[in-house]
Amino acid sequence: MHQNRRAWITRSTIAAVGLSLTATTLAVTANQAAASVTLQCASSAPVYRVLSNGNMLRYQHLDPDTGAANWSANPPTIGFAWQPGKPVAAPDGVIFAPWTGGELRRYRWNGAGWDTFPNGTQHEVIDTGGWDRYLTADYRNRITVDTDGFIYTIEPDGALHWRSFDAATHTWTHRVIASGWNQYNLIIAAGRGVLFARNAAGNLYRYRYDAASQRWLTTAQPVGLGWQAFDRILSAGADVLYTIKPDGTMYWWRWDENAQGWTASHGAQIGAGWIDSATTAAPDTCQVNGVVNPVRPTVPAVDNPPVTLQYSTNGDIHYSYVDSESRAVYAEATDVTGSTPIGFAVVPGFTGVIGITGTGDYQDGRIQLAATGTDAEVRTNVQTVSRGPWAGTTTYGGFVPSSASIVHRSDNTIAMFALDAAGDLWARSQAISNASLDAWTRVGPTPLKPGPITVAVTANGIRILGLGQDGTYHAATYTTTLSAWVSLGSTGFDGTISAVVMPDNTLQVFANNGGAIQTQRETTTGFAGTWTSLPGVIATGSPSAIMSPAGTLQVVARADDDYVYYAGQAAPGSAVYTDWREITNYTDQTSTSPVALAVPDENTWVVGYRNDLDTPKLRRYQSPALRTATPFVDVPLTPPSS
């Protein structure tokens, strides 16, 4: 039974509990660092207790902020016959309850009794199927609700799922936010997005997830050992925990975000006799003030962004761009012979976006499309099947001011990268092929200014390149961690750098320096910092380079006369480049920087751009042996209908 604080003579110390605590101070970026946070709690914390006979009692812990063993007398019985369910307390008196048969119920205690719902019962069924797993021993401690009412579950796929239920519209929002969470046998939410997770060894870790930006702000921070001593952990919010041993002894804890450690009174014993069928606490009792969450940045306008071309592993060509009405437009083709016009369509729901689109191909052939919205959230859509319709446009959050890049990695998973307003690099990635992408995780700081980045996959890792605040390009390699950044030398550059992966897994890069297209070859020891100009045009915008099927580097650029020009190596491996030549015979001007793409199964390469009427264009290269006139021929395209 619970006892009043006056009945306690001594408090148990952490040694009596038999735990070892560790605290790790995490490095955080400037825009995430918090000022001194303060704790604010209601006068009491409601704790709901289901006895073995199915009765539910509502207790009040009168000192949730200090952990004093002070309880209200005579807790009332507020429910009966709870044996088939498991209550999980949510804010504002709401209780979610997985129930025998698989349904999820929603109750609400209004202070005087249970709300009555339109069907005349004291609960409403808000989902059906699968929720009874949280009544089993394996999953009983793998469901929790945070201060904002968001539901977190570990599911049979081993991933951590996040759900938001809108009680007004009875609609759900569902995300998979992290993989590999089957390592944890208990999770408990303890604040806005704060999660404590315990593994089988009893190690306790602290996480923080920001639902608005879909970022992990803290991941796997070790905060304790020996937590297998408890069979139940509940929270009043604001990092206040109640832990219960199998013998029914209850302890109080609070993690201090200022000190990055447990408070001096942690591990205080505040009760006994809590041998219950289920125990849960109201997660909105306590809150912390002063925590700084990610801020939505201003997204600058992007005039005439270039198109995106991708050659996928199944041999398809994918063409996408953001049109003048801020819509994402997409087309795909199985060949570029021109025998059948390639038709474009606006992607449903993909509106209000800017900049450059990103595409990535799943192992099963589906395409994921992404673009950043004017609200700094990355929009995305994935095909339901390869070459099939789109599943539905959703938001990936991010709070990033520019475009996200997607790459297909060597293990047949995809990853997405973007810079935030401070220039920090963030990533979302698949843990396994064809799975959902985990939430944004901070990769690390960069010397880059916010803007598009170039991402290239090599055998040595993912190469990240971008323009620095100093007008110099910088590069780093990402494997499981991010390498040191290296300068590519010189200054005065602008726009996006183009990188070609060479046969030895080094890079050849091309960039615009004051209108001059310059190139530099990386060696096995890195970039020497020496750039070579390819004279002959005054370029505007960014160049695009590829390794052609013939084994020569080819680069395209928009000149100051708004025509598209190309130049290439005189022979494979040559340091000599041909003169610049125009690709349309001066019949078609461009409003965007052109983009080149190798099409190896057709032994050719193509150039995509949009003209001054916002019409997509695609030109295919013809080798001298096959051409009848100009080196490039027009590939028929059908623009999207308005």
Side-chain angles (χ1 to χ4, degrees):
M1 293 293 295
H2 294 71
Q3 301 183 35
N4 187 279
R5 175 168 56 179
R6 290 185 293 273
W8 290 99
I9 299 174
T10 62
R11 288 184 178 178
S12 298
T13 65
I14 187 62
V17 179
L19 302 183
S20 171
L21 300 181
T22 60
T24 301
T25 301
L26 298 187
V28 294
T29 58
N31 63 336
Q32 295 162 14
S36 180
V37 301
T38 57
L39 177 68
Q40 181 178 352
C41 292
S43 59
S44 63
V47 179
Y48 302 88
R49 179 184 187 188
V50 177
L51 305 180
S52 59
N53 63 3
N55 291 354
M56 177 183 282
L57 284 70
R58 187 173 186 267
Y59 284 75
Q60 298 281 351
H61 180 221
L62 301 179
D63 284 292
D65 53 342
T66 66
N70 189 17
W71 296 87
S72 61
N74 304 316
T77 299
I78 62 171
F80 304 93
W82 274 82
Q83 297 97 324
K86 170 185 167 60
V88 183
D92 193 32
V94 170
I95 289 181
F96 295 109
W99 213 261
T100 299
E103 66 189 30
L104 181 66
R105 296 182 176 185
R106 179 180 177 272
Y107 296 78
R108 182 176 179 274
W109 179 259
N110 57 36
W114 297 103
D115 284 355
T116 300
F117 292 90
N119 59 5
T121 65
Q122 293 180 339
H123 71 270
E124 57 180 344
V125 176
I126 59 174
D127 199 16
T128 57
W131 291 93
D132 50 351
R133 75 169 63 97
Y134 299 103
L135 306 178
T136 67
D138 283 346
Y139 284 91
R140 191 169 187 83
N141 288 322
R142 288 173 163 175
I143 180 172
T144 188
V145 179
D146 74 2
T147 299
D148 288 320
F150 301 136
I151 302 173
Y152 300 82
T153 55
I154 299 174
E155 305 202 0
D157 60 3
L160 179 68
H161 293 242
W162 173 98
R163 287 178 175 85
S164 174
F165 176 72
D166 188 323
T169 62
H170 284 75
T171 55
W172 287 94
T173 303
H174 176 209
R175 305 169 186 162
V176 179
I177 60 174
S179 55
W181 276 61
N182 51 347
Q183 66 178 302
Y184 298 123
N185 58 23
L186 180 148
I187 56 172
I188 183 67
R192 285 190 165 86
V194 173
L195 293 172
F196 289 89
R198 183 190 69 189
N199 65 16
N203 300 337
L204 190 69
Y205 300 89
R206 185 176 182 272
Y207 291 78
R208 182 189 291 278
Y209 172 71
D210 181 63
S213 64
Q214 300 187 40
R215 294 182 185 178
W216 283 110
L217 305 182
T218 303
T219 57
Q221 179 182 8
V223 296
L225 306 173
W227 284 69
Q228 72 273 21
F230 306 115
D231 64 354
R232 282 160 290 159
I233 302 178
L234 40 151
S235 176
D239 288 297
V240 172
L241 301 181
Y242 299 91
T243 60
I244 305 174
K245 284 186 171 183
D247 66 3
T249 309
M250 178 186 281
Y251 304 88
W252 176 94
W253 311 74
R254 185 170 79 83
W255 179 263
D256 185 341
E257 191 150 2
N258 294 323
Q260 287 295 297
W262 299 100
T263 61
S265 55
H266 60 253
Q269 184 176 342
I270 62 170
W274 287 79
I275 302 175
D276 307 325
S277 173
T279 320
T280 186
D284 57 343
T285 299
C286 296
Q287 301 189 38
V288 287
N289 300 315
V291 174
V292 178
N293 289 315
V295 176
R296 194 185 301 270
T298 299
V299 179
V302 179
D303 295 328
N304 301 319
V307 305
T308 297
L309 297 179
Q310 182 196 351
Y311 180 82
S312 59
T313 52
N314 65 2
D316 287 356
I317 297 93
H318 308 273
Y319 191 139
S320 60
Y321 62 92
V322 174
D323 70 6
S324 59
E325 298 181 41
S326 298
R327 306 174 301 178
V329 178
Y330 174 83
E332 64 182 53
T334 56
D335 66 74
V336 291
T337 61
S339 57
T340 302
I342 301 172
F344 284 82
V346 175
V347 180
F350 225 120
T351 58
V353 292
I354 56 92
I356 306 169
T357 55
T359 55
D361 57 318
Y362 285 23
Q363 183 187 40
D364 60 14
R366 290 179 295 153
I367 293 296
Q368 179 153 14
L369 174 70
T372 299
T374 55
D375 57 1
E377 297 191 24
V378 177
R379 309 278 196 278
T380 189
N381 207 327
V382 182
Q383 292 175 327
T384 57
V385 294
S386 177
R387 301 173 181 169
W390 297 102
T393 299
T394 60
T395 176
Y396 263 14
F399 287 10
V400 293
S402 58
S403 304
S405 299
I406 305 177
V407 293
H408 183 106
R409 299 186 290 191
S410 57
D411 62 355
N412 284 321
T413 63
I414 68 169
M416 182 183 296
F417 297 89
L419 295 175
D420 68 13
D424 287 353
L425 182 65
W426 292 78
R428 296 187 71 138
S429 59
Q430 292 177 328
I432 58 174
S433 299
N434 306 321
S436 299
L437 276 67
D438 291 350
W440 293 101
T441 302
R442 182 174 177 267
V443 177
T446 80
L448 310 180
K449 66 179 183 180
I453 55 175
T454 298
V455 183
V457 178
T458 73
N460 302 319
I462 299 173
R463 307 297 299 277
I464 312 288
L465 303 96
L467 186 62
Q469 302 283 358
D470 55 1
T472 298
Y473 288 107
H474 299 261
T477 302
Y478 176 69
T479 51
T480 55
T481 58
L482 190 66
S483 73
W485 289 89
V486 297
S487 171
L488 274 60
S490 193
T491 60
F493 291 99
D494 194 18
T496 304
I497 192 170
S498 183
V500 180
V501 180
M502 303 301 287
D504 62 355
N505 280 296
T506 60
L507 299 180
Q508 180 98 21
V509 295
F510 296 80
N512 185 342
N513 191 332
I517 300 301
Q518 297 184 336
T519 185
Q520 181 179 171
R521 174 67 185 273
E522 182 185 26
T523 69
T524 55
T525 59
F527 287 100
T530 302
W531 292 84
T532 300
S533 291
L534 306 180
V537 296
I538 300 174
T540 60
S542 303
S544 176
I546 52 100
M547 177 67 74
S548 74
T552 57
L553 288 166
Q554 301 290 334
V555 57
V556 296
R558 176 190 182 189
D560 58 354
D561 60 3
D562 291 334
Y563 288 104
V564 177
Y565 293 79
Y566 80 104
Q569 288 176 314
S574 174
V576 177
Y577 281 75
T578 64
D579 293 335
W580 290 94
R581 290 157 288 178
E582 205 276 335
I583 74 169
T584 73
N585 201 25
Y586 296 100
T587 60
D588 201 16
Q589 290 179 304
T590 179
S591 64
T592 67
S593 296
V595 175
L597 176 72
V599 187
D601 66 339
E602 297 184 45
N603 197 34
T604 188
W605 57 285
V606 294
V607 181
Y609 58 94
R610 287 181 291 142
N611 66 16
D612 55 358
L613 299 177
D614 202 34
T615 303
K617 295 288 186 174
L618 190 67
R619 296 271 174 168
R620 185 184 78 249
Y621 177 77
Q622 297 186 112
S623 67
L626 298 177
R627 73 181 62 152
T628 57
T630 60
F632 285 84
V633 295
D634 188 57
V635 178
L637 305 178
T638 303
S641 59
S642 57

